[in-house]
Amino acid sequence: MGSECGHDHHLSGGLAEPELARALERTQAVLAERGERLTTSRRRVLELLLEAGRPIKAYDLIADFGGDGRAAKPPTVYRALDFLERTGLVHRIASISAYVACSHGDADHAAAFLICDCCGETRELAPPQMGSLLNSAAHEGYRIGRIALEAHGLCRDCQAPAANA
């Protein structure tokens, strides 16, 4: 993403110190309250996602896991991702096969993502009219376990150059 657009992208990065350390400490405290543990590998995967501030593919997490050029074993990263997703700390964005740190921090919530097809910027927001969807599902005999909506398009910054082309 990005090279097809023909313009500069000024993407904001993720968390840096000391915000990163505070976010990881808060996460560890929340998980402890729930009776869960933030193991070393779970912490490292979450740290990479928080630092990036954008969706990251699992194979990139595997490559960057060691920090010293050493890749992790894939099961280590995938187990961490499964845990982080199950606890609501990370979302999987299926349409781009990537993971992103949750910006809301709630264990159980529906998520909607606005994904720029040009620069890859991804914003998480609360999907509208969730009550209506849940009621419709219940009427059909379904109990929804997880909801993630994904909308693709162009962010504000990428629309401007496209309009001028």
Side-chain angles (χ1 to χ4, degrees):
M1 286 184 199
S3 61
E4 309 86 26
C5 295
H7 63 273
D8 290 332
H9 296 105
H10 303 286
L11 297 178
S12 58
L15 298 180
E17 294 297 341
E19 293 85 12
L20 178 61
R22 284 195 294 267
L24 291 169
E25 287 171 16
R26 280 192 309 271
T27 298
Q28 191 157 350
V30 167
L31 288 176
E33 287 176 12
R34 296 180 192 167
E36 302 274 10
R37 289 187 30 219
L38 188 62
T39 63
T40 304
S41 58
R42 293 169 181 171
R43 181 182 176 96
R44 179 62 180 148
V45 169
L46 182 58
E47 179 182 32
L48 290 169
L49 289 168
L50 288 169
E51 284 176 332
R54 60 181 170 74
I56 303 290
K57 294 186 180 289
Y59 60 80
D60 292 326
L61 291 168
I62 291 166
D64 295 340
F65 186 87
D68 58 0
R70 288 189 345 247
K73 293 183 179 173
T76 300
V77 171
Y78 281 108
R79 274 190 232 112
L81 286 167
D82 286 344
F83 172 83
L84 295 169
E85 187 177 10
R86 179 177 52 81
T87 56
L89 299 168
V90 164
H91 296 290
R92 182 174 184 277
I93 302 178
S95 64
I96 58 174
S97 299
Y99 295 85
V100 65
C102 177
S103 63
H104 296 112
D106 299 328
D108 290 322
H109 72 277
F113 296 96
L114 303 175
I115 304 162
C116 181
D117 290 327
C118 183
C119 69
E121 179 183 10
T122 303
R123 300 272 174 116
E124 179 181 350
L125 47 96
Q129 303 177 358
M130 286 312 304
S132 177
L133 176 61
L134 294 172
N135 288 338
S136 295
H139 184 286
E140 295 295 325
Y142 283 83
R143 187 183 72 190
I144 296 175
R146 182 179 301 142
I147 297 171
L149 303 173
E150 302 175 24
H152 287 262
L154 293 177
C155 69
R156 180 179 295 134
D157 292 340
C158 292
Q159 288 177 54
N164 296 332

